[in-house]
Amino acid sequence: MTTLVLASVLRQSAPSLHQKEYDGFRGSLLEFLNTVSAEGGPSFRGRIFDGDRLRRYLNVFVDGTDVRYLSGLATPITPTSRVDLIPAVAGG
Amino acid sequence: MGGSTVEPVVRESVGSAPGNLAIASLARTLRCVECGHETRLEVHQSCPACLGPLAVTYDLSTLRGSVPSDRLSGRPRSIGRFAELLPPLSLPWSARLDLETTPLRPAPRLAEWLGVETVWLKDDTVLPTGSFKDRPASVAVAFAAAQGHRAVGCASTGNLAAATARAAVRASLPCFVFVPAGLPDSKLDPVRQFGGQIVEVEGPYDVANRVANLAAEAAGIGVVNITLRPYYTEGSKTLALETFEALGWNPPDAIALPLGSGALLAATERAISQLREIGWIPSGPGPALLGSQPDGCAPIADAFDAGSDEIVPVEHPRTIAESLAIGDPGSGYEALRAIRASRGAADSPTSEEVIAAIRALARTEGIWVEPAAGTVIATLRRLREAGTVRRQDRVVAFLTGAGWKISHAVALSRVGSAPIHLDPVHPDLSQLHVGPRPEALGGAE
Ligand SMILES: Cc1ncc(COP(=O)(O)O)c(C=O)c1O
Ligand SMILES: [Zn+2]
């Protein structure tokens, strides 16, 4: 299963998507997020995308790695991937 | 913002030390620094509309045109002194903001080494856990306590860990500290002493962050630099507020300061613009903000150098300045804009330059700093050489962390001459040469 994990600020606009599991998904991160935001509706999509780019303050992790260190929206998503959508944080 | 005109209430706080005053905060809302969306002063990690960082807004009308010395006289010399410009922390908690005002030290001998006429050092090495992080941690924890949180925590490379654990003691709250696995004991021992629970996460700082983010929600922990971020960053303003007061509200030409997440720099800019708004410092061009990152982790400085609006995160930071090894700076865009708006600069010295600067500061002024602060001094030297800083400039450097915190760093312990070994029975005292007065910066080791 491909699992989607949402930070609470994102959950508010699409509670049913949090920890949702997608059976047999295979494709790019862009395709995955398109699928997800088709379910979440335009306001959810607007929190993830700025035009056709990921929002500046949204961090997307695939299996724990920030996708900016992978292939961005082209990062492959498999049936066992875990995708976390989390806002950026302050320093430590 | 609400157009409230009520005078801030000044009254004796219940159960606090005599002379401690509770002063009402003038904070009004949270506003997104990216899209302007406004929300109430509650626990919000980021903008519900665009996920951008939120900043506290204030209704400063009651302070506008006031005389700072009238306003501040009789107040304790601690960060609570500036309570109007901090988030609401509720009576008993503001009384516990016990971080004393730190010294602004004139530094003539360092100024000579740097080649500038006037340098002051804002010395936060004297704070209880040895870094400026006591400021944001105290404010965030006091806010969390006022909001009824039952536990607090942080994601940290070390300094914030100690500061949050200490602040939690003051607020009688349990504390969870998320750290990258493998931090040296010197960074974690304070957390253990303060009774904090260390939570280790395999991987760099950004990974500890992500896990803390999830834990905050699952376990209801008020994580100071995540779920309490807008309040946390306000605490960092006090470094600038104290500096301006010590200078008689006469701003310097430049402030040099470190960049990790960029939160301190962004907060410094907010402090300056709020002081301008109330007329405590003149309007018109303010100090140039000179931000410093080590060259092994310089995403903000690299964007500045490239004239770019895009900050490219660094996956594997490599630097002796562990406190600044934040590859994905959460307040990077705010910091970059603030640097440019102030006609300042961002710079990234090498580890060798940082080590030399730490030594120079230690041997000219007798202050031992950790690499985060050494980086700032190295940057001043580089920017002076480049002509960005002029000889006649009046410069303030924020020394944000003490040297004893990082004595584990091998590269740093190798400075200075080798020890002289003396036999206990027949000590060869001729080995002890008292030569001429030591060159402050003794070139040859
Ligand atoms: C000693 C020290 N100086 C500076 C910084 C950078 O502060 P900021 O993350 O607010 O940019 C940190 C931590 O991040 C620190 O521990
Ligand atoms: Zn916004």
Side-chain angles (χ1 to χ4, degrees):
Chain A
M1 300 282 194
T2 306
T3 312
L4 177 68
V5 178
L6 300 181
S8 68
V9 61
L10 289 164
R11 241 175 269 164
Q12 286 151 15
S13 61
S16 64
L17 293 181
H18 178 50
Q19 291 187 330
K20 181 158 179 181
E21 298 187 333
Y22 293 81
D23 212 356
F25 187 92
R26 225 174 254 285
S28 68
L29 176 63
L30 176 63
E31 285 158 349
F32 181 71
L33 292 177
N34 280 339
T35 306
V36 169
S37 49
E39 293 171 48
S43 80
F44 180 74
R45 188 181 170 84
R47 283 178 172 75
I48 297 181
F49 287 103
D50 179 8
D52 52 10
R53 304 183 51 180
L54 287 174
R55 280 209 170 273
R56 186 172 259 186
Y57 290 95
L58 175 69
N59 289 347
V60 181
F61 297 85
V62 172
D63 295 325
T65 304
D66 191 318
V67 298
R68 288 172 294 177
Y69 308 132
L70 301 171
S71 307
L73 284 168
T75 303
I77 304 298
T78 70
T80 59
S81 301
R82 169 178 164 146
V83 179
D84 287 71
L85 305 186
I86 288 174
V89 304
Chain B
M1 278 196 286
S4 158
T5 53
V6 276
E7 259 311 284
V9 193
V10 180
R11 60 195 164 208
E12 290 295 325
S13 64
V14 187
S16 66
N20 260 5
L21 297 173
I23 305 129
S25 164
L26 297 177
R28 289 295 176 264
T29 63
L30 291 177
R31 186 190 290 136
C32 174
V33 304
E34 293 296 319
C35 78
H37 180 91
E38 265 183 295
T39 56
R40 300 213 318 216
L41 285 174
E42 289 165 348
V43 176
H44 287 290
Q45 169 175 3
S46 52
C47 172
C50 80
L51 306 185
L54 297 166
V56 178
T57 67
Y58 296 82
D59 176 0
L60 297 176
S61 51
T62 52
L63 283 182
R64 206 165 291 135
S66 62
V67 177
S69 53
D70 292 352
R71 205 75 206 185
L72 300 174
S73 75
R75 292 189 186 179
R77 297 200 65 78
S78 75
I79 62 171
R81 183 172 184 79
F82 300 108
E84 288 102 331
L85 301 177
L86 293 176
L89 307 169
S90 92
L91 259 181
W93 302 113
S94 49
R96 288 202 186 176
L97 289 179
D98 57 349
L99 298 180
E100 274 114 32
T101 304
T102 62
L104 185 72
R105 306 183 192 280
R109 297 176 76 199
L110 181 73
E112 209 172 293
W113 183 73
L114 289 169
V116 291
E117 272 162 24
T118 316
V119 175
W120 291 278
L121 303 171
K122 180 61 174 166
D123 187 1
D124 265 15
T125 68
V126 304
L127 283 171
T129 67
S131 93
F132 90 101
K133 293 284 176 180
D134 281 321
R135 299 171 184 273
S138 298
V139 169
V141 169
F143 183 82
Q147 293 281 308
H149 271 75
R150 301 203 6 242
V152 292
C154 64
S156 176
T157 52
N159 283 333
L160 182 60
T164 306
R166 175 191 178 272
V169 170
R170 303 292 301 162
S172 312
L173 289 173
C175 179
F176 295 83
V177 169
F178 296 82
V179 295
L183 282 188
D185 280 340
S186 58
K187 295 247 174 175
L188 296 178
D189 282 346
V191 177
R192 298 185 181 115
Q193 290 296 339
F194 292 130
Q197 173 64 57
I198 294 164
V199 184
E200 287 194 334
V201 185
E202 235 20 89
Y205 171 68
D206 296 338
V207 177
N209 250 341
R210 182 176 64 83
V211 174
N213 212 307
L214 295 171
E217 291 162 10
I221 299 169
V223 181
V224 298
N225 55 331
I226 300 181
T227 56
L228 298 166
R229 169 189 174 147
Y231 307 102
Y232 161 89
T233 59
E234 286 300 280
S236 298
K237 278 187 344 197
T238 56
L239 200 48
L241 296 173
E242 290 176 12
T243 298
F244 283 97
E245 186 181 16
L247 291 175
W249 309 104
N250 187 7
D253 297 303
I255 299 178
L257 69 174
L259 291 165
S261 70
L264 171 62
L265 194 139
T268 300
E269 195 246 5
R270 285 199 304 279
I272 292 170
S273 76
Q274 287 161 8
L275 290 176
R276 276 206 196 106
E277 187 184 335
I278 61 179
W280 288 12
I281 61 173
S283 50
L289 298 176
L290 309 175
S292 183
Q293 279 188 309
D295 74 343
C297 182
I300 305 172
D302 287 348
F304 179 85
D305 281 344
S308 164
D309 288 330
E310 205 58 46
I311 293 173
V312 181
V314 174
E315 185 173 13
H316 299 293
R318 269 183 243 290
T319 169
I320 55 160
E322 284 163 12
S323 320
L324 302 182
I326 299 175
D328 183 16
S331 303
Y333 289 102
E334 282 171 89
L336 189 59
R337 281 195 297 261
I339 289 167
R340 287 182 174 144
S342 75
R343 296 165 196 275
D347 175 63
S348 50
T350 65
S351 292
E352 291 68 38
E353 290 170 314
V354 172
I355 291 168
I358 291 172
R359 190 177 60 180
L361 177 58
R363 296 185 186 189
T364 53
E365 302 295 342
I367 304 175
W368 182 25
V369 293
E370 69 149 280
T375 306
V376 169
I377 302 301
T379 276
L380 271 179
R381 172 117 163 170
R382 284 160 52 95
L383 293 181
R384 175 67 195 99
E385 275 163 13
T388 313
V389 172
R390 296 160 307 173
R391 168 164 283 282
Q392 69 273 24
D393 283 341
R394 299 155 65 248
V395 178
V396 170
F398 286 175
L399 304 183
T400 52
W404 50 264
K405 303 202 82 170
I406 45 72
S407 41
H408 61 278
V410 176
L412 291 161
S413 63
R414 295 281 155 78
V415 300
S417 41
I420 295 170
H421 294 284
L422 293 183
D423 184 275
V425 183
H426 304 291
D428 173 12
L429 299 177
S430 70
Q431 288 189 68
L432 304 179
H433 299 286
V434 179
R437 285 163 63 84
E439 266 306 307
L441 304 167
E445 280 303 333

